[in-house]
Amino acid sequence: MAAIPIIKQCIKQRPDLNILMTTTTASAFEVINKRLPSGVIYQFAPLDTLTAVRAFVDYWKPNAIILIESELWPNLIMTASANGIVLALLNARMSAKSFKHFSGPVLLPLISLMLSKFSLIVPLSNMQAIQFQLLQAPPCVINFSGDLKCVVEDFDVSEGELRSIEDLKLELAHRQVWMASSIHRGEEEIMLGVHRELTKIHPDMVTILVPRVPRHGLEITQELRKKGQNVALRSRHEKLVAGTNIYVVDTLGELRLLYGLTPIAVVGGSFLPGLAGHNILEAAAAGCAVLTGRHIGHFSQMVLEMQQLNSLSVLQVFGKLELVNALKELFSDAKVLEARRMAAKQAYHSLSSGIVSSVWNLLNSHVFKRVALLEDPSLQFSRFESFTLRYNLLVAITVLGSSGQANILIYLFFRTASLGAQKH
């Protein structure tokens, strides 16, 4: 989803571009396919084998490849470079484990060679850029724009989706509600334990559970019903009737809309060791009071920046007891709840401001102008002073995404010939 605002900006600034976007997971494909601007070609990325990558590049013949939050795929990078394709890496990050892996004497020459092929690397944070420089990325290609995950754009919603959300809003109108979003397997036990404690004080309260994987939602529902609990399941359009105070969302692509139904969002993927958090700014953008656990991986940078802007903007809690106490306070003190909601939304606006235009400027200077120069070597180099002279020698440390995250490639074409017949 982080790629979509950049795609829209590219289309706005350069309507002559043809854009191919690829993802590597079926769940990402299903969600993103509904949100892409018209005219963008969309398909699965090739496996990173030499044969597959060569066939893919030979077929599409891109002028530039932009990787967003992606692992570094050797065959793709080296094949692109060998074909004169300009490479960029946005929201660049690498886990401590991967950094240690690549820093060894065996793999350091390989990673150094791959990074040397990029014309632009935009790390997620200062600390992460330091890691890229330690892996011998050229300092002149490292620049900053801000975290693309901070950009939460509105998207078109069908009449059916809007009507469904409005119906649910009416069902929740006179009840206290909180949401546990993006929860992973095992976290439902913590959230349901919190639910049991809170319903002792607020018996009519509703807990909305949004598992990261829809199948997990069905399993939670089945298990609760075996125990005699009343549960409403979203995929079956079940209503929140009297006596039902658990609502399980087992659908994809609705989280941003659902955040608008609750004043409190507990963002999961963060309450058990080994997890690495999720984007909390989607909840903040909706005006929720935001809580998350301690196991947040590279999202620690986002949490830190929010808390530096306003200490009330996000609350980190450790385990069930702290979460219960925090929610009790929010349910019992309307002023505290409102203060946290306002702080979260203000932090979101501060962090998201100007990121898309900043990324566009970097892409234009370091990628598109370089492509133009490669396409027409007769161009005078002096015409690209903004591209050659305005480097920012910036530094950062990078963290690769968790295995469940979608890797995204965007292939940008400068050729304007019709691609209508090019289909897989």
Side-chain angles (χ1 to χ4, degrees), residues 314-327:
V314 56
L315 176 63
Q316 277 190 282
V317 296
F318 187 82
K320 172 187 165 183
L321 183 59
E322 283 192 17
L323 182 54
V324 168
N325 290 335
L327 291 175

Side-chain angles (χ1 to χ4, degrees), residues 1-3 5-6 68-69 91 93 124 145-153 212 256 277-283 285 298-299 302 348 351-352 355 401 405-406 408:
M1 299 294 278
I6 300 305
I68 299 183
E69 295 185 352
N91 259 32
R93 51 193 175 92
L124 202 57
S145 65
D147 187 350
L148 285 172
K149 285 188 177 291
C150 294
V151 182
V152 181
E153 283 201 338
R212 181 72 172 168
R256 290 186 190 177
H278 288 292
N279 189 355
I280 58 177
L281 277 175
E282 291 182 339
H298 73 275
F299 286 103
M302 185 181 288
Y348 156 71
L351 289 177
S352 62
I355 290 177
Q405 303 255 338
I408 297 174

Side-chain angles (χ1 to χ4, degrees), residues 182-306:
S182 299
I183 61 173
H184 289 233
R185 196 170 298 278
E187 288 187 304
E188 75 276 10
E189 296 300 328
I190 297 171
M191 302 308 163
L192 290 170
V194 171
H195 170 81
R196 286 190 290 270
E197 291 298 319
L198 292 176
T199 50
K200 292 176 183 177
I201 306 168
H202 309 284
D204 199 38
M205 183 199 68
V206 174
T207 296
I208 301 175
L209 297 178
V210 189
R212 181 72 172 168
V213 178
R215 175 70 188 176
H216 186 204
L218 178 60
E219 293 170 1
I220 292 171
T221 301
Q222 291 172 339
E223 191 62 32
L224 289 172
R225 285 175 174 168
K226 285 179 185 178
K227 298 176 181 178
Q229 294 198 45
N230 293 328
V231 183
L233 190 63
R234 179 151 183 80
S235 65
R236 295 179 181 172
H237 309 288
E238 295 170 349
K239 304 295 184 182
L240 275 167
V241 297
T244 301
N245 55 7
I246 296 178
Y247 190 83
V248 178
V249 178
D250 59 336
T251 54
L252 285 171
E254 293 190 296
L255 187 54
R256 290 186 190 177
L257 296 173
L258 292 166
Y259 276 137
L261 301 177
T262 174
I264 302 168
V266 179
V267 182
S270 60
F271 286 88
L272 295 174
L275 299 179
H278 288 292
N279 189 355
I280 58 177
L281 277 175
E282 291 182 339
C288 299
V290 181
L291 297 88
T292 191
R294 298 286 181 178
H295 306 282
I296 54 175
H298 73 275
F299 286 103
S300 59
Q301 180 69 23
M302 185 181 288
V303 169
L304 176 62
E305 290 178 358
M306 288 183 69

Side-chain angles (χ1 to χ4, degrees), residues 331-353:
F331 279 124
S332 63
D333 193 326
K335 289 184 178 180
V336 171
L337 175 59
E338 185 59 23
R340 286 200 172 276
R341 295 182 70 181
M342 288 184 61
K345 192 151 193 174
Q346 288 168 359
Y348 156 71
H349 284 300
S350 296
L351 289 177
S352 62
S353 176

Side-chain angles (χ1 to χ4, degrees), residues 157-168 257:
V157 181
S158 69
E159 287 187 16
E161 287 176 308
L162 191 58
R163 186 164 53 249
S164 175
I165 292 294
E166 288 299 320
D167 289 344
L168 183 54
L257 296 173

